[in-house]
Amino acid sequence: MGMAQKAPGKAFRKGITLKKLLAMFPDDATAEQWFIEQRWPTGSCCPRCGSLNVQTGCKHKTMPFRCREKVCAKRFSTKTGTVMEGSKIGYQDWIISTFLLATNLKSVSSMKLHRDLGITQKSAWFLTHRLRTALSQEIDLFNGPVEVDETYVGGKEQNKHQSKKQNVGGGASGKTAVVGMKDRETKKVAATVVQSAGKTELHGFVKTHA
């Protein structure tokens, strides 16, 4: 009597079942709230300027957040700056699709998602393309410890041509603020232009990169 062949891998793996996933995220509102908590566990942050001065609960159909900084003042959603940006696909569909792509050994075709989620095949293809691209990318956050500092870029007023002078005071006046971060271990560096080098902007920059 021959030995029974075993299927590859374990017969039971710990994790969330599809049934449990649907119970956790029964609708778009629940799924959206989960995304918000994962992305901004300590409070929402403007994905464009990094400011923590954000208005929430705006009465806007798709953009419930608004940056309060006058130089930015942009509306945004949880999707802004993520693989979900620019899509009308619901948050629940994004969660279910991510689960299926991450747990299916042979991946999932756009045609299957089109049938299972009840969305168009074009939307399903867009969704799977975005997710596969995201899942194939390495996480590029700094692990620390990190050093953060700001500087101001721009020539001295006295050295500028008369047409270029802004007639402002010395020091940082009339110059562009740039904040930079360096990982002490990997020596990697990140920098970006900010509207000002205040606490709000600097904390937003650190929160985004580390």
Side-chain angles (χ1 to χ4, degrees), residues 177-191:
V178 177
V179 59
M181 173 187 293
K182 177 182 178 181
D183 190 307
R184 288 180 178 174
E185 295 295 329
T186 64
K187 307 302 180 184
K188 290 175 61 177
V189 174

Side-chain angles (χ1 to χ4, degrees), residues 7-98:
K10 296 182 179 179
F12 174 77
R13 294 181 176 86
K14 292 183 178 180
I16 299 175
T17 64
L18 181 57
K19 183 177 180 180
K20 184 177 180 180
L21 184 78
L22 293 174
M24 290 172 63
F25 306 104
D27 49 41
D28 265 2
T30 306
E32 180 181 8
Q33 186 57 39
W34 182 84
F35 275 117
I36 291 173
E37 292 172 357
Q38 299 307 307
R39 186 174 187 185
W40 300 306
T42 58
S44 53
C45 167
C46 177
R48 294 186 175 91
C49 71
S51 173
L52 300 176
N53 187 11
V54 171
Q55 178 184 354
T56 62
C58 299
K59 294 182 179 179
H60 191 280
K61 188 175 181 180
T62 58
M63 300 289 180
F65 302 97
R66 185 181 69 84
C67 179
R68 285 197 175 104
E69 299 297 331
K70 291 183 179 180
V71 293
C72 182
K74 299 289 187 181
R75 292 185 181 275
F76 61 95
S77 72
T78 316
K79 293 180 179 180
T80 305
T82 73
V83 294
M84 300 183 288
E85 185 171 13
S87 78
K88 295 182 180 180
I89 300 170
Y91 290 97
Q92 185 192 47
D93 289 339
W94 279 101
I95 284 185
I96 295 174
S97 300
T98 303

Side-chain angles (χ1 to χ4, degrees), residues 74-178:
K74 299 289 187 181
R75 292 185 181 275
F76 61 95
S77 72
T78 316
K79 293 180 179 180
T80 305
T82 73
V83 294
M84 300 183 288
E85 185 171 13
S87 78
K88 295 182 180 180
I89 300 170
Y91 290 97
Q92 185 192 47
D93 289 339
W94 279 101
I95 284 185
I96 295 174
S97 300
T98 303
F99 173 85
L100 294 175
L101 261 70
T103 58
N104 195 304
L105 295 177
K106 295 183 179 180
S107 189
V108 178
S109 69
S110 60
M111 285 301 296
K112 178 171 175 56
L113 287 182
H114 153 61
R115 293 190 297 266
D116 291 349
L117 299 179
I119 60 178
T120 65
Q121 197 273 332
K122 183 178 179 180
S123 293
W125 183 90
F126 169 86
L127 194 154
T128 54
H129 175 71
R130 285 284 186 92
L131 286 177
R132 288 191 180 109
T133 300
L135 291 171
S136 65
Q137 293 176 345
E138 295 182 359
I139 297 174
D140 201 27
L141 294 178
F142 289 12
N143 292 321
V146 297
E147 300 172 11
V148 182
D149 202 357
E150 78 277 1
T151 187
Y152 297 88
V153 180
K156 295 181 178 180
E157 283 284 292
Q158 64 188 43
N159 295 334
K160 295 180 181 178
H161 187 276
Q162 189 63 37
S163 63
K164 300 290 186 180
K165 290 185 178 181
Q166 300 180 30
N167 297 315
V168 294
S173 300
K175 296 183 180 181
T176 301
V178 177

